Amino acid sequence: MSSTEPGHKVLVIDDSNTIRRSAEIFLKQGGHEVMLAEDGFDALSKVNDFKPDIIFCDILMPRLDGYQTCAIIKKNVNFSSVPVVMLSSKDGVFDKARGRMVGSQDYLTKPFTKDQLLQAVRQFGTTHKE
């Protein structure tokens, strides 16, 4: 990558191992540091230590879904400004609106491409960098 911009710390939350690994490969190829979480509870235990610059969060997950996870992260004063991009296999207007209501910045439909993922990091990751 010809960009001189430093990599971002990216948290990927998804209950699908395939999606997590794909995202990890794409993001690392883009020069970013990646932390993976398999559900909302796992993510909440990692977000404090990892301090991500951007979070990708699946919507349909067991125990704690993506909307709940996003809402909890956004209510935490330390992470309220961290951009959250929702991931879903559904591309409905209702899902996108509900994501916005809990504080997400954008919405990617699965399966996503490497370019879509890296574009989202470029677009939203820089807004949080101090």
Side-chain angles (χ1 to χ4, degrees), residues 1-63:
M1 202 157 112
S2 60
S3 175
T4 55
E5 167 186 325
H8 294 286
K9 293 173 79 170
V10 183
L11 177 61
V12 178
I13 312 164
D14 200 300
D15 59 329
S16 162
N17 187 49
T18 305
I19 295 291
R20 285 195 312 271
R21 295 296 169 206
S22 297
E24 180 180 35
I25 290 165
F26 293 159
L27 291 163
K28 284 187 173 177
Q29 286 173 347
H32 304 292
E33 185 180 342
V34 183
M35 171 73 69
L36 303 175
E38 60 190 42
D39 62 33
F41 286 111
D42 189 26
L44 295 175
S45 70
K46 291 177 176 175
V47 73
N48 208 38
D49 293 331
F50 186 61
K51 298 184 177 29
D53 298 313
I54 183 170
I55 298 169
F56 288 96
C57 185
D58 184 25
I59 292 175
L60 297 174
M61 296 184 291
R63 302 196 305 163

Side-chain angles (χ1 to χ4, degrees), residues 13-130:
I13 312 164
D14 200 300
D15 59 329
S16 162
N17 187 49
T18 305
I19 295 291
R20 285 195 312 271
R21 295 296 169 206
S22 297
E24 180 180 35
I25 290 165
F26 293 159
L27 291 163
K28 284 187 173 177
Q29 286 173 347
H32 304 292
E33 185 180 342
V34 183
M35 171 73 69
L36 303 175
E38 60 190 42
D39 62 33
F41 286 111
D42 189 26
L44 295 175
S45 70
K46 291 177 176 175
V47 73
N48 208 38
D49 293 331
F50 186 61
K51 298 184 177 29
D53 298 313
I54 183 170
I55 298 169
F56 288 96
C57 185
D58 184 25
I59 292 175
L60 297 174
M61 296 184 291
R63 302 196 305 163
L64 196 64
D65 73 21
Y67 299 123
Q68 295 165 313
T69 303
C70 181
I72 292 168
I73 290 168
K74 290 296 188 176
K75 284 182 182 147
N76 182 320
V77 69
N78 296 320
F79 302 107
S80 60
S81 65
V82 176
V84 176
V85 176
M86 304 305 277
L87 301 174
S88 179
S89 49
K90 298 192 297 183
D91 191 20
V93 173
F94 176 76
D95 298 303
K96 292 179 182 181
R98 190 166 171 207
R100 294 248 191 246
M101 286 170 52
V102 295
S104 73
Q105 270 61 38
D106 202 3
Y107 189 100
L108 284 182
T109 304
K110 297 190 284 189
F112 45 77
T113 66
K114 176 181 174 181
D115 288 342
Q116 288 173 313
L117 208 58
L118 294 177
Q119 173 58 35
V121 174
R122 277 193 299 275
Q123 185 176 354
F124 299 108
T126 54
T127 61
H128 179 66
K129 281 279 197 197
E130 275 127 50

